[in-house]
Amino acid sequence: MQFAKFLLFRLLTYVLVVWISITIIFFVPRFVPGSPVEAVLGRLMSQGTTMDPKLVQSMRETLTQLFGLEGTLWEQYSSFLTRVLLTWDFGPSLANYPTPVSVLIARALPWSLGLMLTALLISWTLGNFIGLLAGYHNKSTTSKAIETAAMIVYPIPYYILALLLVILFAYIWPIFPFVFQVSGEPGSWQWMKSVAYNSFLPLMSIVMVSLGWWIISMKAMAIDTKEEDFVQYARYRGVEDNKVMVGYVARTAILPQITVLALSIGGVFGGSLITEILFGYPGVGTLIYRAILGSDYNLILGTVSLSIVAVATATLILDIVYPFIDPRIRYK
Amino acid sequence: MQLVKPRLVVGLIIVTIFFLLGFVAPFFAPEDPTAWNTYFRNLPPSAEHIMGTNNLGQDIFWLLTWSIRNSLWIGLSVATFATVIGVLVGLSAGFLGGVSDRFLTLAMDIVIAVPSLPVLILISALLGGKTSLLIIAGVLVLFNWPWPGRQARAMSLSLREREFIHVAQASGENAGKIVVLEIMPFVLGWALANFINTILVAISAESGLAIIGLSSLKEATLGTMIYWAMQHQALLLEKWLWILSPIFAIMLLFIGLFLVSTGWSDYFATRRGRQ
């Protein structure tokens, strides 16, 4: 009963969030001065081609239709809502005419998810391992140095670290490419090698930033756990030190970390937008950026709507699943 | 017992240096550092130009101080408005209870759930580089007040039942006065840590937008300074000081703010514990 009530309330919030966000996305372009249709026409004219006024007029009509700017505000709004929520049809991309926006997004999405999930898994595994060692031997100088380093890296924004890595390893000491360029047939060995080589820097920049958090939290948990009675008892019983660390301390301290790992998968989507743009990584972030540079109105609305719906949905799923993972949380 | 953590001291020193660089140093700038061709181009560091000049003829050191000033301004104003609005809304929600509490809580939950970066990108993209720092700051306030709001609500819920509030109520104080005079002091200590975090979030968001060219590109901030440097080929021309100085400034400033905020939280917690 409690759960049903919670579920209902949570679903209601979700619907409200998505609806309000989509409404914001719908109204922002309409409150901003300048029409996107005129912007595109202006760009075409400025390229020096003289067009006859009749052609311009017919182009204006086509663009108005393509951008969903026909009819009254209410008609536009309801058709926009159905497009986002039901059909996912944002019309053709203008810069890559006539490829539909949904196809471009479907092409970019696996890249973004692949990058972020790999980064998350690497930093989680590595961070917990280092954090466990540092927490279990917390009196040692190495442990204190590790925590200080983690504390220093943790507050740095991810894109600043990305930029620094680019400057260091693509310009000052050029061992990695500064433009993302994959070679070879997709799926072939050479392709995979070049993907790994090109993705290394963006991956590292995300891993380094999130690593700090995993180290700090795991260390704190390991320190608490190793003072617990059952760990002390195991030690008095003569269990080997490494066994105590892995079998007793790590097994207990890892549980909350698994929960947080599950939670952060939801945040994966928004986490790499700027990194992708800086590296020219072919994910959704770069897609948004290219859409902005090319005034690709349909593509901008499509990608931004997608990222909002994705983040909201991920949070919804996790809020519902969370109590099943962590028994200490109950629906109230 | 250690009263003030070294962490807090180190953080305060770093932040103080940045405030001096940002709010005092610019008054001594000999020329407007954002103007082009004020000096000879590409001068190496010297006594006259501590960090040299770039290929636009700007003095890098003075440009940096102006950038720090504007970035700090964004951070401080967003943090001030977001904290004030959040604390007021949160306190009223917790104190009033009932339907208004439900409504305000729902409003806060919804705003928190809306991802701010895509919306900011959308607004800046549609304004096409004509965004002003004011608009960006305004949107950031809009997205950041619910965090202090939720916390203030939780605090006022627990404070409402304390003895001294009942005493004040019984002696005929009105609700507004109780909130301002009795509850506010309790909330302020916590609000400071949140205030510093919001500075961090705001500067980070603006710099992120600026680096990809979506902030106000006319005003110097740490982010736009990086953007300008990249646009004018600082990397290919190996003008490292030009592009690295704002990068390191952001890193140092963030480390400083982070140390102050966590250091202050610890300090505040131990102090409250002794009361």
Side-chain angles (χ1 to χ4, degrees):
Chain A
M1 204 46 229
Q2 287 282 9
F3 180 70
K5 208 173 149 193
F6 164 83
L7 196 66
L8 198 73
F9 190 73
R10 191 61 191 77
L11 280 173
L12 185 75
T13 327
Y14 170 75
V15 172
L16 278 174
V17 166
V18 171
W19 175 60
I20 290 176
S21 315
I22 300 295
T23 308
I24 294 175
I25 294 183
F26 174 79
F27 278 107
V28 163
R30 285 162 179 84
F31 279 125
V32 169
S35 117
V37 174
E38 298 304 323
V40 172
L41 284 176
R43 222 159 44 93
L44 287 175
M45 311 271 228
S46 70
Q47 281 167 357
T49 37
T50 35
M51 281 183 281
D52 105 77
K54 235 188 217 152
L55 188 68
V56 173
Q57 188 52 39
S58 79
M59 273 183 71
R60 184 172 285 133
E61 274 157 23
T62 322
L63 284 173
T64 311
Q65 194 209 341
L66 278 180
F67 288 165
L69 294 172
E70 277 177 320
T72 60
L73 201 62
W74 174 247
E75 279 166 15
Q76 293 178 23
Y77 181 61
S78 52
S79 88
F80 185 69
L81 272 185
T82 43
R83 277 157 78 181
V84 175
L85 300 178
L86 300 176
T87 57
W88 270 103
D89 171 25
F90 285 93
S93 151
L94 207 81
N96 307 287
Y97 197 81
T99 320
V101 166
S102 47
V103 170
L104 287 175
I105 293 177
R107 220 179 275 160
L109 205 54
W111 286 99
S112 288
L113 290 179
L115 177 71
M116 287 309 287
L117 289 177
T118 319
L120 190 63
L121 278 178
I122 294 178
S123 65
W124 188 82
T125 319
L126 209 62
N128 280 320
F129 184 66
I130 299 174
L132 174 69
L133 282 174
Y136 195 72
H137 305 284
N138 64 328
K139 297 284 190 301
S140 75
T141 5
T142 328
S143 159
K144 295 208 171 78
I146 287 173
E147 187 173 17
T148 313
M151 291 272 292
I152 287 174
V153 179
Y154 174 63
I156 298 173
Y158 64 94
Y159 54 83
I160 287 292
L161 217 60
L163 206 54
L164 197 63
L165 287 181
V166 173
I167 295 174
L168 287 178
F169 298 112
Y171 286 93
I172 295 182
W173 184 32
I175 47 169
F176 284 104
F178 57 87
V179 182
F180 195 94
Q181 208 153 35
V182 179
S183 59
E185 196 70 16
S188 68
W189 175 238
Q190 204 211 336
W191 179 80
M192 281 192 268
K193 261 201 319 200
S194 88
V195 167
Y197 174 61
N198 279 280
S199 310
F200 186 77
L201 280 188
L203 193 69
M204 271 306 108
S205 73
I206 304 171
V207 166
M208 275 171 74
V209 170
S210 37
L211 194 62
W213 168 251
W214 298 118
I215 293 180
I216 295 172
S217 53
M218 185 60 181
K219 187 185 173 216
M221 232 117 44
I223 291 176
D224 282 350
T225 315
K226 79 171 185 165
E227 301 305 328
E228 299 238 6
D229 287 345
F230 73 93
V231 179
Q232 298 287 7
Y233 175 68
R235 217 175 275 139
Y236 295 145
R237 226 176 37 180
V239 178
E240 206 185 310
D241 203 38
N242 277 339
K243 238 181 203 161
V244 173
M245 183 173 85
V246 176
Y248 290 73
V249 177
R251 259 181 72 180
T252 318
I254 204 77
L255 275 176
Q257 295 292 81
I258 294 177
T259 324
V260 187
L261 172 72
L263 278 178
S264 28
I265 291 176
V268 151
F269 196 79
S272 68
L273 291 185
I274 300 175
T275 310
E276 285 185 8
I277 295 170
L278 287 175
F279 287 99
Y281 186 86
V284 177
T286 308
L287 197 62
I288 293 182
Y289 187 58
R290 282 219 318 266
I292 290 167
L293 290 185
S295 329
D296 197 337
Y297 192 68
N298 286 349
L299 190 53
I300 296 176
L301 287 184
T303 41
V304 172
S305 309
L306 168 81
S307 49
I308 284 175
V309 173
V311 173
T313 311
T315 343
L316 171 76
I317 295 171
L318 287 162
D319 271 3
I320 294 172
V321 174
Y322 195 45
F324 294 103
I325 309 173
D326 191 340
R328 286 167 303 180
I329 309 278
R330 288 274 168 259
Y331 296 106
K332 276 200 259 313
Chain B
M1 195 181 112
Q2 214 175 2
L3 269 185
V4 181
K5 300 239 169 188
R7 202 194 282 177
L8 185 58
V9 179
V10 175
L12 280 175
I13 293 173
I14 297 177
V15 173
T16 311
I17 293 174
F18 271 94
F19 272 77
L20 290 177
L21 278 177
F23 293 127
V24 181
F27 286 114
F28 298 97
E31 309 271 348
D32 178 354
T34 54
W36 289 13
N37 299 322
T38 321
Y39 307 101
F40 289 113
R41 294 172 181 202
N42 297 323
L43 292 178
S46 64
E48 204 185 332
H49 303 289
I50 309 175
M51 301 169 95
T53 62
N54 59 24
N55 59 8
L56 302 173
Q58 300 166 316
D59 182 294
I60 294 173
F61 174 75
W62 294 117
L63 188 60
L64 185 67
T65 62
W66 280 47
S67 306
I68 292 173
R69 181 188 65 186
N70 283 336
S71 284
L72 284 178
W73 262 125
I74 294 169
L76 287 172
S77 43
V78 171
T80 308
F81 281 106
T83 311
V84 169
I85 295 173
V87 167
L88 286 182
V89 172
L91 286 186
S92 350
F95 204 73
L96 294 172
V99 183
S100 15
D101 180 31
R102 287 216 160 172
F103 176 74
L104 291 173
T105 312
L106 186 66
M108 290 191 271
D109 285 349
I110 288 174
V111 178
I112 283 178
V114 176
S116 57
L117 186 63
V119 175
L120 270 169
I121 287 181
L122 181 67
I123 293 176
S124 320
L126 290 163
L127 285 172
K130 289 193 278 290
T131 331
S132 72
L133 290 184
L134 203 67
I135 295 178
I136 291 183
V139 178
L140 286 173
V141 171
L142 220 57
F143 278 112
N144 280 298
W145 67 267
W147 300 100
R150 279 222 288 218
Q151 199 78 25
R153 174 179 170 272
M155 289 181 105
S156 69
L157 279 183
S158 78
L159 284 169
R160 193 162 64 159
E161 302 307 322
R162 299 266 184 98
E163 200 69 18
F164 65 91
I165 304 290
H166 289 308
V167 173
Q169 256 170 338
S171 61
E173 290 275 26
N174 68 32
K177 250 188 167 167
I178 293 176
V179 169
V180 173
L181 293 177
E182 309 289 340
I183 297 185
M184 215 52 138
F186 266 83
V187 178
L188 279 184
W190 167 82
L192 186 66
N194 177 80
F195 178 78
I196 299 167
N197 277 332
T198 314
I199 298 180
L200 235 148
V201 170
I203 297 181
S204 171
E206 194 277 332
S207 313
L209 281 179
I211 287 175
I212 53 177
L214 289 178
S215 177
S216 161
L217 297 177
K218 292 198 182 68
E219 278 144 304
T221 65
L222 288 169
T224 46
M225 191 171 165
I226 297 173
Y227 176 74
W228 288 334
M230 291 199 300
Q231 285 297 303
H232 293 103
Q233 311 301 340
L235 289 172
L236 291 173
L237 298 170
E238 314 202 330
K239 295 292 294 174
W240 304 128
L241 269 176
W242 187 13
I243 188 152
L244 284 178
S245 62
I247 290 180
F248 281 111
I250 289 183
M251 290 169 69
L252 253 179
L253 177 62
F254 278 32
I255 292 166
L257 286 170
F258 179 69
L259 290 179
V260 172
S261 115
T262 53
W264 167 257
S265 302
D266 286 1
Y267 173 66
F268 186 64
T270 48
R271 209 185 52 164
R272 230 179 0 193
R274 283 189 291 123
Q275 266 176 354

